[in-house]
Amino acid sequence: MSLWQAIWYFVSEALRGMRRSWGASTVAIFAISISLFVGAFFVLVTGNLGREVDRFRDRLRINVYLNVDASDADVAGLVELLEQPSWVRTVDVVTPEQGRDRLRQTFPEAFRLLGEGEEVIDLPPVAEIGIDPGNPPQASELAALMEEAAALPVVELIDDDREWLGRLVAVVTVVRLLGLSLGAGLLVAATFTIASVVRLTAFIYREEIDVLRLVGATEFFVRGPLYATGLVQGLFGGVLALATLGGCHAVIASRSAETFWAPLVFAEFLGWRTQLLIIVLGASAGLFGAVVSVRREPPGTTS
Amino acid sequence: MIRCFNVRKTYPRGQVALDDVSLEIERGELAFLTGSSGAGKSTLLKLIYREELPSDGQIIVNGRNVATLPLSKVPYLRRSIGIVFQNFRLIARKTVLENVCYLPRILGASMKEQRDLAEQALADVGLADRSDAFPLELSGGEQQRVALARALISKPELLIADEPTGNLDAELSREIVELLVKAQGQGTTVLVATHDLQTIERHGGHVLRLEKGRLVEDTQVAAPGAVADEARE
């Protein structure tokens, strides 16, 4: 028997067996589907959150506030220091006059109440650092530069988004780990469910297994349909999980304008590689469960 | 075809099923293994088709020492042996044709080849028109004929029948035995475990009688009605 003939036989027997014990097979498929859905859901959500974090990171700006009485030479010295690293894309100096203009544009009413602010508001010059998104710094590199800048007597304050961005990244990482752990735990449970279902299938087919052995079937031929049963159940579970997730994504994405969070966590669906991985994971878990269930001797009275 | 040398089989609880059995069955023979229930007939057959291993001694089947045959080689031994049981061992949810097709299928025959072989085998046992029926729609005799067709589909060198007529009435038994004799006539060595002495008397052949696990008679019965009185006892 050729390999293709064997595969065809195994799969057709597996489908026939699943049809025969459809109740147990459905439970197994749902079990693996739920576990993969949970894992894939967290991958989807954290993937989109991660992309949002990356976008924030690209727009990350660091503002270095100088003393109010800083001279032009102080400003030039600071700019020279800040422009040195390759990952610094721009250093824009905002003069006190430009600062007042921004304030006027942003808060015109408050500015007018303060008597146009000419004398009341004494703003310091600010150096705004733009990071090159294509060449982001290591956290240590960024910290070293900020430390060096802070050490200058002319620098009053450094304001950057690193702290809250770091917290956001930590939250995303924890959520991802939580989701993957939950998914992995459920996957293990689903694998054992499939193992039990395959064992049950083998028990239902014990008479046929006996006959197969009596007429001279090899163990590969006897066990093949059982392995195929686990593999097909896992495959169906993976496809079902993806289809369900895809449906949820489509529904939520169509109403994304109504919520603030939907565009953040459901902006994009999983990439094809991730989708393929989920299906392969389901099939592998099913196959593993089947192998575990008949690793010794499939039920039957004939050896 | 089959040679046993000082074969002994004991079960874990110490029960002796076979004790120092030595025998020889020539290629193409019709051999009857007889004896009362518990004499060791089925155990000896199981040793021959390697469902069990002897505790001691050697068994040579068609040149292969089945006592030392690796487990991975057992399927290839069984492909040269057709086996029939008292309870038929047919799969109720499969059609007659599907029940007969097992061996060609595992050998990789195409669907058409499987069908052709199965239909020929069914025709040989007189069931050409029942290929689409299910076993439970058939009489006991017909079911046993299906089992025979399954065993004979690849023209095995050895046919083993363990009490093939045990569940059948006299008329149906005669039909089944006729089919066994027909297979022997086509060159297959046939070994039948039975306690039906009338069958042996009718056909003659090589008679091996077991008693409490020991071979107590090994004779050639040439003519009908010539079974020894000892065997009848």
Side-chain angles (χ1 to χ4, degrees):
Chain A
M1 175 174 271
S2 73
L3 184 63
W4 286 115
Q5 276 180 310
I7 290 172
W8 173 252
Y9 167 74
F10 293 163
V11 172
S12 59
E13 285 295 304
L15 292 174
R16 196 174 299 169
M18 285 166 62
R19 215 168 34 238
R20 195 170 176 216
S21 52
W22 65 270
S25 295
T26 305
V27 169
I29 290 170
F30 270 110
I32 205 153
S33 169
I34 289 168
S35 62
L36 290 173
F37 177 85
V38 169
F41 175 82
F42 277 93
V43 168
L44 174 69
V45 167
T46 56
N48 280 307
L49 278 177
R51 273 189 287 276
E52 282 301 315
V53 169
D54 288 343
R55 270 196 281 274
F56 281 126
R57 190 177 282 129
D58 290 349
R59 294 198 299 262
L60 181 70
R61 291 193 73 86
I62 302 164
N63 296 336
V64 180
Y65 294 88
L66 287 86
N67 294 331
V68 176
D69 53 355
S71 66
D72 289 347
D74 291 335
V75 175
L78 177 67
V79 169
E80 190 181 348
L81 170 71
L82 297 178
E83 281 180 336
Q84 282 174 2
S86 61
W87 43 267
V88 172
R89 187 173 55 181
T90 55
V91 178
D92 298 325
V93 176
V94 181
T95 63
E97 292 73 26
Q98 289 169 327
R100 265 192 292 275
D101 286 345
R102 283 189 188 177
L103 194 59
R104 184 185 294 117
Q105 285 164 11
T106 312
F107 304 106
E109 195 59 25
F111 201 81
R112 191 183 59 76
L113 287 173
L114 288 169
E116 293 300 314
E118 288 297 330
E119 288 148 17
V120 182
I121 304 171
D122 199 7
L123 295 173
V126 182
E128 293 179 345
I129 305 169
I131 306 287
D132 181 1
N135 178 28
Q138 297 290 323
S140 58
E141 292 175 321
L142 189 56
L145 181 67
M146 293 305 100
E147 203 172 309
E148 202 174 342
L152 295 175
V154 73
V155 171
E156 184 71 31
L157 174 71
I158 297 176
D159 177 25
D160 66 67
D161 301 330
R162 281 177 302 156
E163 196 175 334
W164 72 264
L165 200 61
R167 285 179 187 160
L168 192 59
V169 169
V171 168
V172 170
T173 306
V174 167
V175 170
R176 177 172 287 170
L177 284 176
L178 192 72
L180 289 179
S181 304
L182 191 61
L186 289 171
L187 193 63
V188 170
T191 302
F192 281 104
T193 305
I194 285 188
S196 302
V197 170
V198 169
R199 193 81 189 155
L200 179 68
T201 305
F203 182 75
I204 291 169
Y205 279 87
R206 64 194 183 283
E207 289 179 347
E208 194 165 353
I209 288 173
D210 275 351
V211 171
L212 281 169
R213 286 185 173 139
L214 281 173
V215 299
T218 58
E219 279 306 299
F220 175 67
F221 201 89
V222 170
R223 292 168 194 242
L226 300 173
Y227 293 157
T229 300
L231 191 133
V232 170
Q233 286 175 349
L235 203 66
F236 283 1
V239 171
L240 183 63
L242 272 183
T244 310
L245 190 62
C248 292
H249 178 263
V251 169
I252 294 170
S254 69
R255 298 180 177 179
S256 63
E258 298 168 20
T259 58
F260 76 93
W261 52 268
L264 285 178
V265 296
F266 284 104
E268 292 176 28
F269 193 57
L270 301 170
W272 68 268
R273 282 195 183 86
T274 311
Q275 293 183 44
L276 191 65
L277 181 70
I278 287 165
I279 292 173
V280 169
L281 195 63
S284 304
L287 181 62
F288 179 73
V291 170
V292 166
S293 74
V294 290
R295 69 186 184 281
R296 288 178 188 162
E297 193 81 357
T301 55
T302 306
S303 56
Chain B
M1 186 68 188
I2 301 171
R3 284 193 287 172
C4 298
F5 301 100
N6 308 106
V7 173
R8 183 178 169 82
K9 176 67 182 177
T10 54
Y11 287 107
R13 288 182 180 177
Q15 182 195 353
V16 178
L18 291 172
D19 187 12
D20 197 26
V21 172
S22 296
L23 58 85
E24 184 168 351
I25 297 170
E26 296 292 337
R27 189 177 294 275
E29 264 192 333
L30 172 63
F32 292 100
L33 192 58
T34 187
S36 55
S37 294
K41 302 188 295 293
S42 294
T43 299
L44 182 58
L45 297 185
K46 285 179 183 175
L47 295 180
I48 290 169
Y49 65 80
R50 184 55 154 77
E51 186 169 337
E52 290 188 10
L53 279 168
S55 307
D56 201 6
Q58 304 297 323
I59 301 172
I60 313 295
V61 177
N62 200 18
R64 296 186 183 97
N65 187 342
V66 298
T68 58
L69 196 66
L71 210 54
S72 60
K73 303 282 184 199
V74 171
Y76 303 100
L77 166 78
R78 289 191 182 159
R79 288 175 194 179
S80 66
I81 303 174
I83 309 170
V84 178
F85 297 94
Q86 181 176 351
N87 61 358
F88 322 133
R89 291 209 188 178
L90 299 177
I91 308 303
R93 64 188 171 78
K94 298 224 170 197
T95 66
V96 164
L97 191 89
E98 288 169 333
N99 267 284
V100 175
C101 277
Y102 279 106
L103 184 54
R105 191 200 299 163
I106 65 172
L107 293 176
S110 67
M111 294 301 285
K112 184 180 181 309
E113 288 169 335
Q114 288 179 36
R115 189 167 190 95
D116 290 348
L117 282 168
E119 283 177 347
Q120 182 57 54
L122 287 168
D124 289 345
V125 298
L127 287 176
D129 57 339
R130 305 307 306 271
S131 60
D132 293 328
F134 287 91
L136 295 181
E137 297 168 1
L138 306 178
S139 68
E142 287 174 322
Q143 288 187 50
Q144 191 59 292
R145 281 194 274 164
V146 175
L148 254 175
R150 183 178 66 196
L152 293 170
I153 191 167
S154 65
K155 310 263 185 289
E157 293 172 273
L158 172 63
L159 176 64
I160 290 174
D162 190 359
E163 302 280 5
T165 59
N167 282 354
L168 306 176
D169 61 33
E171 182 58 31
L172 293 175
S173 296
R174 244 194 312 278
E175 287 178 18
I176 295 301
V177 174
E178 290 300 332
L179 289 170
L180 295 174
V181 172
K182 183 180 164 190
Q184 184 242 343
Q186 292 171 345
T188 299
T189 307
V190 178
L191 174 58
V192 187
T194 183
H195 53 254
D196 180 0
L197 297 179
Q198 285 184 340
T199 297
I200 301 172
E201 285 174 359
R202 196 178 310 118
H203 294 281
H206 188 171
V207 178
L208 301 148
R209 188 159 67 91
L210 287 169
E211 200 172 284
K212 293 180 180 171
R214 296 187 72 90
L215 185 68
V216 294
E217 183 184 338
D218 184 345
T219 54
Q220 289 288 343
V221 177
V227 178
D229 288 339
E230 291 171 19
R232 194 183 298 276
E233 290 165 11

